[in-house]
Amino acid sequence: MNDSIDLIQAIVLGFIQGATEFIPISSSGHLVIVPWLFGWDKPSLLFDTMLHWGTLLAIFIVFWRDFLAMIRAWFQSIARRSLADPDARTAWFIIVGTLPAVAAALLFEDQLEAMFLNPRGVGFFLLVTAALLFFSEQWTQRRGQEGRALERMTWLDSIVIGAAQALALIPGISRSGSTIAAGLARGIRRDQAARFSFLLGTPAFFGAGLLQVVKVMGADANLLVGNLTPIIVGFVVSAVTGVVVIRFLLDYLRSHSLYIFAAYCVVLGLFTIGLSFVR
């Protein structure tokens, strides 16, 4: 991490990551826009990775019982060659849903990294996120049904939602927003789509973070020690914020729509695009 990233910036960026990873307004987009807006140096890859691992920890804290149940059911499904247990099916759906993002990250790594240097592009893709949220809500209202629970998910549901997660590798397209929108489009209940979205993010967060840590440590083993305090602060703030936001959002989406988040993405996207021309 650059020496100019101080503790205040670590706290701000940790809070932004913890909140916007789960609120469907694009954490990657905010982590591009905020440093650009305030003239901060771009955070290092290691710092960014630890922020994402903070949100990974938040998911484990909130859903640890679900993970224990899914892991146990997953092993039993292999031994019994049966997917009768809903927890086993959810575990397999998470594995299948992760594959599109893995493939996209491997195929388009250089192009995706270049997009993180383009705030105007981020502003445009925030508008795409807004469109996804808006039209998924429109589809839900026209369908006029409450929607399915996770126990009634299908393989096609997991593939479609996984493809939406792959799309969210582009900064400005919200991972939670695109996956929740895909879940709604597939007829899954709003709060259940959010729940699966959060669970689906765990393999991607862990795997991508581990690869980046290995890459950074291989390049400079002293990097972690020299910036340990801001990294720890950012990690903790991201994790604590993430726990609060996950619990809030799961409750909020039981009775509220995604329109407010779509409106926010429109405002921030247009502001970012406009400011990019002025600058």
Side-chain angles (χ1 to χ4, degrees):
M1 184 169 55
N2 288 308
D3 292 336
S4 57
I5 302 294
D6 57 27
L7 289 180
I8 298 299
Q9 294 174 13
I11 292 171
V12 170
L13 295 176
F15 175 81
I16 289 172
Q17 170 62 27
T20 60
E21 183 58 55
F22 305 111
I23 297 174
I25 54 177
S26 180
S27 62
S28 60
H30 281 75
L31 291 178
V32 171
I33 292 171
V34 171
W36 170 74
L37 187 62
F38 291 104
W40 297 348
D41 290 326
K42 185 180 182 299
S44 73
L45 194 58
L46 178 61
F47 180 75
D48 184 67
T49 296
M50 295 311 295
L51 292 187
H52 281 79
W53 273 6
T55 50
L56 176 63
L57 177 60
I59 296 174
F60 284 135
I61 290 173
V62 176
F63 296 111
W64 67 270
R65 290 185 181 86
D66 301 71
F67 281 111
L68 287 180
M70 285 190 295
I71 291 170
R72 182 166 52 248
W74 184 79
F75 281 109
Q76 289 175 348
S77 73
I78 296 176
R80 300 172 181 173
R81 298 183 180 180
S82 170
L83 291 177
D85 191 324
D87 288 325
R89 291 198 300 274
T90 301
W92 281 109
F93 290 155
I94 290 172
I95 293 172
V96 171
T98 300
L99 297 179
V102 172
L106 293 175
L107 290 172
F108 304 108
E109 180 180 4
D110 293 338
Q111 294 91 330
L112 291 169
E113 288 184 359
M115 291 182 179
F116 281 85
L117 303 176
N118 183 5
R120 187 179 302 167
V122 171
F124 169 78
F125 285 113
L126 280 169
L127 300 182
V128 174
T129 292
L132 291 173
L133 298 177
F134 178 82
F135 287 113
S136 66
E137 281 290 352
Q138 290 286 298
W139 175 265
T140 299
Q141 293 181 9
R142 289 175 183 174
R143 188 176 61 239
Q145 299 175 352
E146 183 180 358
R148 292 178 283 130
L150 292 187
E151 290 78 7
R152 297 177 58 198
M153 273 189 65
T154 67
W155 292 105
L156 182 57
D157 293 335
S158 66
I159 293 171
V160 171
I161 297 172
Q165 179 169 253
L167 182 66
L169 292 171
I170 300 172
I173 295 184
S174 167
R175 194 200 65 82
S176 62
S178 61
T179 51
I180 292 172
L184 291 179
R186 291 294 303 164
I188 298 173
R189 203 168 71 220
R190 189 183 294 108
D191 62 315
Q192 294 287 285
R195 190 179 193 88
F196 185 73
S197 169
F198 300 156
L199 295 173
L200 179 63
T202 53
F205 292 158
F206 179 76
L210 184 61
L211 289 175
Q212 300 299 356
V213 167
V214 171
K215 183 186 297 185
V216 171
M217 293 297 97
D220 186 357
N222 296 319
L223 185 61
L224 178 61
V225 176
N227 299 282
L228 190 58
T229 300
I231 287 174
I232 292 175
V233 169
F235 173 83
V236 171
V237 172
S238 175
V240 172
T241 306
V243 169
V244 174
V245 169
I246 289 174
R247 290 174 172 164
F248 159 76
L249 199 61
L250 288 175
D251 182 65
Y252 178 89
L253 291 178
R254 290 189 181 98
S255 56
H256 296 81
S257 73
L258 299 170
Y259 288 131
I260 188 172
F261 306 120
Y264 175 87
C265 288
V266 168
V267 172
L268 182 60
L270 293 176
F271 171 78
T272 302
I273 293 170
L275 186 60
S276 71
F277 282 106
V278 172
R279 286 190 171 185

